[in-house]
Amino acid sequence: MAVAFSVTGAMVGNATTTTLDIICPSGLVTNDILIGFINSKENQVVTFPSTEVDGIGAWTKFVESNNTTAQRVTIAWARVTDGTNASGNTVSVTK
């Protein structure tokens, strides 16, 4: 089976709180893969959910790179375990 791009979510930003809420796109189906990209200033470490929540499996970080004290890029993925439940849900990432 070939890999195909399906949908994209909205870009969000939050400079004043410790939680970044990412809204999942609609139209997700079971076994879709979600990829989250976070760019944080001041080398802030971010934490994705580590257990299944609302039809989305545990998130796994696969890139975490910093530029000394200026910024950090974190990329993580998760598998959709229930597409009907996951569509439109919020994933809370803490920083």
Side-chain angles (χ1 to χ4, degrees):
M1 177 168 82
V3 175
F5 177 80
S6 179
V7 293
T8 184
M11 183 168 43
V12 297
N14 187 334
T16 59
T17 67
T18 59
T19 303
L20 180 63
D21 290 331
I22 302 172
I23 309 300
C24 292
S26 60
L28 295 174
V29 296
T30 300
N31 289 322
D32 276 354
I33 299 295
L34 300 173
I35 301 175
F37 295 84
I38 306 293
N39 186 27
S40 56
K41 67 178 188 171
E42 299 172 357
N43 198 20
Q44 293 174 317
V45 175
V46 297
T47 303
F48 284 81
S50 60
T51 60
E52 182 173 344
V53 178
D54 295 328
I56 301 168
W59 288 80
T60 302
K61 292 181 187 180
F62 66 95
V63 172
E64 197 163 28
S65 178
N66 67 37
N67 177 10
T68 62
T69 60
Q71 64 183 349
R72 176 183 290 258
V73 173
T74 303
I75 307 173
W77 72 275
R79 183 178 303 275
V80 174
T81 56
D82 180 349
T84 303
N85 196 30
S87 294
N89 276 344
T90 300
V91 176
S92 293
V93 178
T94 57
K95 54 183 182 175

